[in-house]
Amino acid sequence: MIAPRRMGPLDIESAGTCDVLVAGSGAGGFAAALTARLHGLDVIMIEKESLFGGTTAFSAGVIWIPVNSHQKAAGVIDTREDALAYLTHHVGNRLDRARAEAFLDSAPAMLDLFEREGIAAFTLATSWADYHPDEPGASQGGRSLVPDDYDGRALGPWFTRLRPPIKTMTAFSGMMVGRNDLPHVFSMTRSARSALHVGRMLARHARDRLRHSRGTRLVNGNALVARLAVSAFERGIPLWLSSPVVELVYGGGRVTGAIVERDGKRLEIGVRRGVVLACGGFPANDELKRRLYAHVAAGKRHVSLPPSGNTGDGLRLAQSVGGTFHGEVHQPAAWTPVSLVPQPDGSMVPFPHFFDRGKPGYISVDRRGRRFVNEALSYHVFVPALIEACRDDPQAEAWIVCDHDAIRRFGLGALGPAPLSVRPFLRSGYIKRSNTVIGLAEACGIDAARLERTIGEFNGPARRGEDPSFQRGADAYQRFNGSPDHKPNPCVAPLDKPPFYAVRVIPSELGTFAGIRTNASAQVIDSDSRPIAGLYAVGNDAASVMGGTYPAAGITIGPAMTFGYIAGRHLADSGSQHPAT
Ligand SMILES: Cc1cc2nc3c(=O)[nH]c(=O)nc-3n(C[C@H](O)[C@H](O)[C@H](O)COP(=O)(O)OP(=O)(O)OC[C@H]3O[C@@H](n4cnc5c(N)ncnc54)[C@H](O)[C@@H]3O)c2cc1C
C-alpha cells in the first residue's frame, strides 16, 4: 500500500484522496465523472484494461432520450406521459417506476448539459421508430439519437488507447462505417451522391493509413467515447489504464475508498464523496452466464460481443459492502444474433446482425428449414425466438438465407454489398453458396426439402410484398430497417435469383441487463432498499431500468449516461448545502 502524500488536488497517486472515484471508462463512467467535475469535484477515473471505452467503444453509440430538445426543430411531437406509458406497457410489472421516472426526468437535461458543454454531440434519427411502435405511447421516430462523427486526432497520443471497434464491423483495415453511412454504402452503385460519400470516406481512410494504425474518422460509439474522453482530459480528469479496482474500503457506515491494482502494487485511494461503479456488467463472466443464460446452462454455444474485461467486478464489489443483485428481469442480457467470421490466424470474431435479416430478399431458418420469427423484428426479439425454435436441438443456431440480388445490394453479415467480393468469405467458409436451394441446404446441414418448401411458400406472397406467416414490414420500425425504395414492402422480396447464400448465426449479447439494485439517485441499495452511503452504480453494472426489455435503439447507453449524470449530481449535492443545478 502506498502511503498517502499531499500534492496537487488531482494528483491522486500521490495525494491518495479525491472526491469521486469512477471505476470504468464507458459511457456510464465518463458521464458520472464529467458531471461530478462540472460541479467542481475532484474526480479520478480508473480503468481495468489497457484500452479505454469498454463496450461503449464497440457500440453504435445511439442513445434513447424521450422529449429531447432536438425534437422541436425536427417537428417531432413527444411527451413524457407517452414515453412513460410506453415503458409502463412494454416493461410491465418489472418496471421500477421511480427509476424510470428519474430517467425520463433527467435524460433531456443530461443531453442539453453535455451538448452545451461540448461533451457530446448527437443528431436526431427522426425516422428511427421505437422497436414496438404500435404499443401505447411508442414513438414513430425521434427519440433515438446518433453520435456525430469525431476526429480521433483530437485525442493526440490517447488515440492508440481508445478501444477500436469490433474488427468485423470495419472495412479496409480499420475504416469505420457509421449508421448514417449505411444508406450510402447500400446505394453506392446506384446514386452519384452515395458514390461520392463513400469515395470521400475511402480517400480520408487512405490518407489516415499513411500515418495511423487505423482510420481517424470516428463514428458510432468510438466517436461518442473519444469526445467524452477529450472532454474529461480537458477538464483535468485523470484516467488510469490497466488499473482494476479490486476492493472497496468501507468504514463508519459508508464507502470511504477503493483499492486499485497498478503496476503490481495495491493502492488505496480515499474518497470524500463516493465511488461510482461503471464496470459494464458481466458479459465476460462465464460462471454468471452459466447461471443466468438458460441456453448457456443447457450447454449451447454463446459468443459474447463485449470486451473481455467486463467480468462483473462491479457486481462483486457492490455485494462486498451489502449491495444486492437483481436478476428478476425479463431477459438477463440484451440479445443479438452473431455470425462468426474466420480470421487468418484461425480465430473467430463475431459480427452482430442488426440489419440484414429484415431487408428484402432475406429469411432466417432453423436447421429444419423452418422460419421461426419475423426477421425484421429487433435483435432482442430474434434471439429468444431462435433459442425457442432450437429448444430440443444440440445448438441454438439458425441461417440467414438470401439470393444473389440481395447479397449484391446489401451484403450478408460481415460481407458488404457489391462491388465487394464474396470470394474471400466463401473461401474461409463464412458464407455458403449454391446455385440451388437444395444444394445450399445440404452445404449448411439444413433439411433440404423443407427449405425448398419454405422458400417456395415465402416467394409467392413476397412477390406482392406480403408475408402472411409473420407480417414482415408491418410497422414503422421494421420498415425503417428495410429498404425504403423497395416497393410495395421495404422488408419483403422473393428469394428467386440464384445463386443462393447463407450464413450461420448463434446467440450473443450487447451487454447484460441483470445487475446491482440501485435507486432513483443511482445509489446502490441493500436488501432493505437502504442506500449504501458513498456507493453508486451506473451503466450495465446497475440492473436494467428497462426491466430486461429492449424498447428502442439506445436504451442502454441513454440510461447509462443519464444515471451517470444523476450520480454525478447526487455526489455534488451530497457534500453541499446547495443542490446541484
Ligand atoms: C456492437 C454493439 C453495438 C451496440 N450498440 C448500442 C447502441 O447503439 N446503443 C445502446 O444503447 N447500446 C448499444 N450497445 C450496448 C452498449 O454498448 C452497452 O450496453 C454500454 O456501452 C455499456 O456501457 P457501460 O458504461 O455500462 O460499460 P462499458 O462501456 O462496457 O465500460 C465498462 C468499462 O469498465 C471497465 N472495468 C471492468 N471492471 C473494472 C474494474 N474492476 N476496475 C476498473 N474498470 C473496470 C471495463 O474494462 C470497461 O472498459 C451495443 C453493444 C455492442 C456490442
Side-chain angles (χ1 to χ4, degrees):
M1 187 133 12
I2 283 201
R5 274 190 293 131
R6 207 150 262 303
M7 294 195 42
L10 292 175
D11 191 354
I12 302 299
E13 190 170 10
S14 1
T17 56
C18 59
D19 289 327
V20 177
L21 182 148
V22 175
S25 64
F30 272 115
L34 278 156
T35 307
R37 188 77 193 108
L38 288 176
H39 288 92
L41 303 185
D42 289 341
V43 183
I44 181 168
M45 292 184 69
I46 304 290
E47 168 55 51
K48 175 183 189 176
E49 302 277 279
S50 60
L51 302 172
F52 69 91
T55 322
T56 310
F58 279 171
S59 76
V62 177
I63 57 172
W64 190 67
I65 311 286
V67 203
N68 64 71
S69 56
H70 291 241
Q71 290 175 337
K72 196 167 172 211
V76 173
I77 310 282
D78 195 10
T79 65
R80 182 186 185 279
E81 291 67 37
D82 276 350
L84 186 59
Y86 181 48
L87 292 183
T88 305
H89 182 270
H90 188 71
V91 181
N93 60 6
R94 300 212 196 274
L95 186 73
D96 178 338
R97 206 177 162 95
R99 288 182 71 216
E101 293 207 38
F103 165 66
L104 293 175
D105 289 337
S106 292
M110 176 279 294
L111 182 60
D112 287 348
L113 175 69
F114 282 12
E115 293 204 311
R116 206 167 52 237
E117 292 285 336
I119 287 171
F122 286 89
T123 297
L124 196 67
T126 46
S127 48
W128 199 333
D130 289 347
Y131 286 0
H132 304 274
D134 294 335
E135 292 184 5
S139 167
Q140 306 304 301
R143 288 179 180 159
S144 297
L145 299 109
V146 180
D148 290 353
D149 298 2
Y150 193 67
D151 192 331
R153 290 172 294 190
L155 278 164
W158 283 90
F159 179 57
T160 57
R161 292 297 173 183
L162 169 62
R163 181 175 291 286
I166 297 171
K167 192 177 170 192
T168 52
M169 297 178 76
T170 64
F172 309 118
S173 306
M175 184 181 82
M176 295 197 75
V177 181
R179 188 68 176 83
N180 293 334
D181 299 322
L182 282 178
H184 293 294
V185 171
F186 294 141
S187 299
M188 63 187 164
T189 54
R190 303 162 157 236
S191 139
R193 204 173 134 250
S194 293
L196 186 64
H197 181 95
V198 175
R200 284 203 182 114
M201 283 167 62
L202 289 169
R204 160 87 186 256
H205 184 64
R207 277 198 310 275
D208 278 347
R209 291 294 280 118
L210 297 174
R211 287 161 159 250
H212 302 278
S213 57
R214 66 180 177 103
T216 60
R217 175 182 173 259
L218 305 182
V219 298
N220 298 348
N222 245 246
L224 170 63
V225 167
R227 200 185 289 268
L228 288 167
V230 168
S231 304
F233 301 151
E234 281 172 357
R235 287 165 176 80
I237 300 176
L239 168 62
W240 290 6
L241 299 178
S242 307
S243 307
V245 174
V246 291
E247 271 177 51
L248 293 176
V249 184
Y250 187 85
R254 60 177 298 119
V255 171
T256 58
I259 310 285
V260 175
E261 274 180 8
R262 194 181 201 205
D263 296 333
K265 295 178 193 138
R266 286 163 69 84
L267 310 178
E268 180 173 342
I269 300 176
V271 292
R272 290 182 285 271
R273 301 285 174 100
V275 170
V276 180
L277 299 172
C279 304
F282 61 89
N285 184 314
D286 288 339
E287 196 208 315
L288 277 177
K289 284 191 288 190
R290 267 195 301 276
R291 245 174 57 202
L292 293 164
Y293 297 4
H295 63 287
V296 176
K300 295 181 183 176
R301 193 157 186 209
H302 176 99
V303 174
S304 297
L305 279 163
S308 58
N310 291 26
T311 50
D313 294 1
L315 279 56
R316 182 182 53 74
L317 291 166
Q319 286 173 305
S320 74
V321 294
T324 45
F325 179 73
H326 182 62
E328 300 301 304
V329 283
H330 282 283
Q331 296 286 341
W335 305 123
T336 190
V338 292
S339 52
L340 301 178
V341 189
Q343 302 298 304
D345 66 0
S347 64
M348 297 280 190
V349 178
F351 177 90
H353 288 252
F354 294 136
F355 308 117
D356 50 4
R357 295 171 282 118
K359 296 244 183 278
Y362 298 74
I363 57 168
S364 298
V365 294
D366 63 11
R367 69 185 181 125
R368 280 165 286 275
R370 298 177 312 183
R371 287 177 72 208
F372 52 89
V373 71
N374 173 347
E375 296 88 345
L377 294 177
S378 96
Y379 30 90
H380 189 62
V381 174
F382 183 94
V383 168
L386 160 64
I387 291 170
E388 176 59 22
C390 303
R391 198 171 23 153
D392 302 323
D393 296 349
Q395 291 300 336
E397 56 185 20
W399 283 261
I400 299 176
V401 179
C402 69
D403 72 354
H404 181 75
D405 281 351
I407 204 169
R408 299 317 282 154
R409 176 78 206 276
F410 304 111
L412 182 59
L415 164 68
L420 293 174
S421 171
V422 188
R423 262 186 234 113
F425 292 91
L426 290 171
R427 262 200 309 274
S428 72
Y430 174 65
I431 285 175
K432 306 285 184 202
R433 175 172 73 180
S434 173
N435 282 327
T436 64
V437 169
I438 290 194
L440 184 73
E442 283 167 359
C444 298
I446 305 171
D447 181 320
R450 183 68 189 266
L451 181 64
E452 200 173 37
R453 205 164 83 223
T454 297
I455 291 183
E457 286 168 3
F458 179 79
N459 280 352
R463 288 195 180 91
R464 302 187 299 276
E466 292 166 12
D467 173 22
S469 304
F470 292 102
Q471 285 76 45
R472 216 159 105 177
D475 67 39
Y477 167 65
Q478 296 173 47
R479 290 192 292 274
F480 169 71
N481 272 332
S483 179
D485 58 1
H486 185 80
K487 304 282 185 302
N489 184 337
C491 302
V492 175
L495 286 69
D496 55 8
K497 179 96 178 290
F500 300 96
Y501 298 85
V503 68
R504 184 167 52 159
V505 291
I506 62 168
S508 176
E509 79 281 70
L510 302 175
T512 46
F513 275 160
I516 303 164
R517 285 180 67 226
T518 54
N519 64 17
S521 301
Q523 293 171 290
V524 175
I525 52 178
D526 67 14
S527 52
D528 293 324
S529 298
R530 283 179 315 221
I532 294 169
L535 189 61
Y536 299 76
V538 302
N540 291 350
D541 273 355
S544 154
V545 66
M546 304 294 157
T549 66
Y550 213 111
I555 58 81
T556 71
I557 298 180
M561 292 178 69
T562 302
F563 282 107
Y565 165 83
I566 289 173
R569 283 169 53 92
H570 198 270
L571 281 155
D573 279 351
S574 66
S576 99
Q577 313 278 324
H578 311 289
T581 49

